[in-house]
Amino acid sequence: MKLQKNETEDVYDVIVVGSGAGLVGALAAASRGLRTLVIEKTEFIGGTTAYSGSGLWLPGNAAELRAGVDSGPDQARPYLDAIVGDDAPAALREAFLKAGAPMIDELESHSWMGQFYWLGVPDYFEKAPGSLARGRTIFPEALDRSALGDLEPLVRRPQWAERSGAHPGDVMTGGQALIARLLLSFMETGNGAIRTNTPLKQLVVEDGRVVGVEATSDGESITLRARRGVILAAGGYERNAEFRQKYQPEVTGEWSQGAPGNTGDALFAGMEVGAATDLLEEAWFAPGLVVPNERPVFYTSVWSGIWVNDAGERFMNERLPYDRSGHEILRAQRNSDVSHIPVHWVFDQRQFDNERAFSSPPVAPQSTDWFDIDKFLEAGVLQRADTLEELAELIGVPAGTLTKNVAQFNEYALSGKDEAFGRGDAPWDLNIVNTCGPHEDGPNPCLGLIDKAPYYAAQIVLSDLGTKGGLKTDDHSRVLREDGSVITGLYASGNTMAPMTGRIYPGAGGPVGSSMVFSYLAALDMADSND
């Protein structure tokens, strides 16, 4: 589909490759009078951002101030400095901290964007200086689907609806609402154009400057020129089997939560013109619950039970923030002779007796009866037994070790203190407290007993929300060569860009928030250019 206004030729001021959080850059450019084109590889606008809860980790913005949260750049800087360290340039963090609040102010000035709202989600590293138990995450307002009019079919469905074919509902929330609001605002400028089903082939370079893109449309090669520059904002390479095997051999793209088109096309195009890269071995990792006949379901943490490896040993706090949890699984897999992928999630009948546990779990499919026990058992992704010993045999772990670990955990549940891994101690652990085990089991709501037969074991694999390594940039989002020089006319953001956050995930909304900021900074730099 082509949505273009006042198009007289295939020459623009700005071209944005990718239609997720990069739409912020497109909107910022178009709002400044720059003729802007967004090209999207797939038939839908939104990328992985449309799948997300659209939390935005942006310290010091207007939504936080309205909620009475005291968190500006000065409060967040020591937190980021401590957790990111030398894994990413400090200049990127500083640019992010300075631009986040003005960006939100500008977005809220567009009538279609509405006002963002703060919702307390604790920062993910509770012991770091500057960490906020109240959190810094904001969200976009919901939007009636009808508001989109003829544009509605363009917006990518929520992941659960896309997988099941179910109707996504009359009200758009989370990432869908964010993308829809950005799309409406962008088209309202009168300077915006969108081409879907238009995959990037390569960048056009003249005299060392990026001046456009070559793409494919309707089976034909087309050249689209950009006077001011090109923003590469097309996600990571999580759906590229060759690159995953090269940089992340323990993980498969079949486990990823990334959008279908994310095969690294923009990343490779940048590399072909001499761009430097960093952290290609990294991803926004997360646990993935294996479900029948589908990709694993992303969720934030367990509701009850424990995780054990192939030796039957519990090895971590199962309620760690999801990226920390994913990294811990990967660390254990790489540093042990015992397999940790898949992890065995062992729990008891209390899990199903607790209405909260599956009716509204953290980041689970929003569909009725999604966890159908019989279907899971039939597919072999769930095992059930009357005793722990029988369950151990079904999943192939030593029975003595499993029963010992469950008994130890039950002692922790009764005392209220996880002496081994501190589950339930951090603000994040307690954040979604109503989905932990039944509260009457003990003083700590995140440590429910495992003693009510039958017993179950599900499979947890290492999933991700997308890869995060990418092209090196400066604090204006300009892509750099290995020698540190700027590739004129080329910008990157999102998962096509080597992340401002380095190897870590600071808090809910880190990926989307930083993607938006660096798309915005790219647009500001192009708007200031007189070339």
Side-chain angles (χ1 to χ4, degrees):
M1 178 179 289
K2 301 176 183 178
L3 289 174
Q4 300 173 328
K5 293 187 177 182
N6 302 321
E7 181 182 1
T8 57
E9 57 181 354
D10 288 336
V11 179
Y12 301 84
D13 295 308
V14 175
I15 295 176
V16 181
V17 181
S19 62
L23 283 177
V24 172
L27 173 58
S31 298
R32 286 162 173 77
L34 300 181
R35 191 161 179 265
T36 304
L37 172 68
V38 175
I39 65 170
E40 164 58 41
K41 178 180 181 179
T42 72
E43 62 183 304
F44 297 115
I45 297 298
T48 306
T49 301
Y51 288 159
S52 74
S54 75
L56 313 175
W57 196 88
L58 296 167
N61 62 75
E64 288 180 317
L65 295 177
R66 289 192 292 266
V69 179
D70 182 15
S71 170
D74 290 341
Q75 291 84 357
R77 188 177 294 108
Y79 177 69
L80 283 177
D81 287 346
I83 61 180
V84 176
D86 296 331
D87 289 334
L92 296 185
R93 300 197 289 276
E94 194 62 28
F96 168 80
L97 290 171
K98 289 181 177 179
M103 179 190 73
I104 292 298
D105 288 342
E106 181 171 330
L107 289 177
E108 290 189 342
S109 73
H110 294 277
S111 59
W112 277 117
M113 291 305 302
Q115 282 195 332
F116 293 86
Y117 65 93
W118 171 85
L119 184 64
V121 183
D123 286 341
Y124 290 169
F125 292 83
E126 70 279 359
K127 295 181 180 179
S131 177
L132 283 188
R134 297 183 69 195
R136 299 172 160 101
T137 304
I138 64 171
F139 295 85
E141 295 176 338
L143 181 70
D144 284 345
R145 190 171 295 278
S146 61
L148 277 165
D150 292 342
L151 295 175
E152 192 278 332
L154 272 183
V155 179
R156 182 171 292 283
R157 278 19 188 173
Q159 189 180 70
W160 62 269
E162 191 173 86
R163 288 182 176 185
S164 66
H167 189 276
D170 294 332
V171 177
M172 307 175 90
T173 61
Q176 271 222 309
L178 177 64
I179 292 299
R181 290 181 177 280
L182 288 169
L183 176 60
L184 287 165
S185 301
F186 175 60
M187 297 307 296
E188 191 176 55
T189 65
N191 295 315
I194 292 175
R195 298 182 69 126
T196 57
N197 295 308
T198 306
L200 173 69
K201 289 176 59 179
Q202 61 185 16
L203 297 166
V204 178
V205 180
E206 294 178 358
D207 299 323
R209 178 191 180 99
V210 172
V211 297
V213 302
E214 287 188 13
T216 303
S217 180
D218 298 326
E220 297 183 356
S221 180
I222 59 172
T223 298
L224 304 164
R225 299 182 69 85
R227 299 184 186 93
R228 300 291 182 99
V230 174
I231 306 175
L232 300 179
Y237 66 85
E238 57 267 19
R239 297 299 190 99
N240 186 305
E242 180 182 352
F243 251 56
R244 293 224 81 149
Q245 180 61 34
K246 181 177 180 179
Y247 291 104
Q248 300 170 6
E250 299 88 354
V251 188
T252 169
E254 294 303 310
W255 297 343
S256 178
Q257 310 298 318
N262 292 358
T263 55
D265 302 2
L267 171 63
F268 304 145
M271 294 167 66
E272 286 176 355
V273 298
T277 61
D278 197 16
L279 298 174
L280 291 178
E281 71 280 8
E282 279 293 339
W284 305 100
F285 289 116
L289 172 64
V290 178
V291 300
N293 306 316
E294 291 184 6
R295 290 174 177 268
V297 172
F298 158 64
Y299 64 101
T300 56
S301 54
V302 303
W303 308 279
S304 70
I306 60 173
W307 288 351
V308 299
N309 58 26
D310 269 3
E313 296 277 1
R314 183 175 178 236
F315 62 97
M316 63 177 288
N317 170 10
E318 299 88 350
R319 284 193 67 81
L320 282 175
Y322 39 94
D323 185 67
R324 289 179 61 188
S325 179
H327 274 93
E328 185 62 22
I329 293 172
L330 185 59
R331 183 203 63 77
Q333 178 71 13
R334 288 176 172 173
N335 295 303
S336 173
D337 294 332
V338 176
S339 177
H340 290 73
I341 302 177
V343 171
H344 307 286
W345 174 21
V346 176
F347 54 92
D348 67 358
Q349 185 60 36
R350 294 172 186 267
Q351 174 75 30
F352 296 110
D353 292 345
N354 177 11
E355 294 182 358
R356 296 179 296 258
F358 282 128
S359 62
S360 58
V363 197
Q366 299 173 29
S367 52
T368 304
D369 299 327
W370 74 274
F371 199 119
D372 185 308
I373 298 176
D374 291 334
K375 288 182 179 179
F376 272 62
L377 289 169
E378 183 179 351
V381 297
L382 181 69
Q383 301 294 334
R384 179 173 60 192
D386 291 332
T387 68
L388 285 171
E389 289 82 2
E390 292 172 352
L391 186 68
E393 183 175 354
L394 288 175
I395 62 177
V397 306
T401 306
L402 178 61
T403 56
K404 177 182 177 182
N405 276 260
V406 170
Q408 181 65 79
F409 184 78
N410 284 341
E411 291 183 14
Y412 297 152
L414 291 172
S415 71
K417 178 68 174 177
D418 179 5
E419 300 288 351
F421 301 106
R423 177 166 144 190
D425 292 349
W428 166 261
D429 292 19
L430 299 166
N431 183 49
I432 315 177
V433 69
N434 68 331
T435 57
C436 295
H439 293 204
E440 62 269 18
D441 285 347
N444 189 326
C446 289
L447 300 177
L449 288 167
I450 309 171
D451 67 352
K452 185 176 181 180
Y455 299 92
Y456 298 86
Q459 298 176 23
I460 303 295
V461 294
L462 183 58
S463 185
D464 62 69
L465 312 183
T467 56
K468 67 188 295 190
L471 307 178
K472 284 187 176 182
T473 63
D474 66 7
D475 52 356
H476 296 285
S477 302
R478 299 179 298 185
V479 175
L480 304 175
R481 299 181 179 89
E482 289 289 352
D483 62 6
S485 62
V486 170
I487 300 178
T488 306
L490 186 60
Y491 300 79
S493 67
N495 289 349
T496 309
M497 165 191 168
M500 172 276 299
T501 55
R503 300 182 184 279
I504 59 87
Y505 198 142
V512 180
S514 58
S515 297
M516 291 170 63
V517 165
F518 285 97
S519 297
Y520 179 70
L521 288 170
L524 296 187
D525 192 72
M526 283 185 277
D528 289 341
S529 171
N530 294 317
D531 293 346

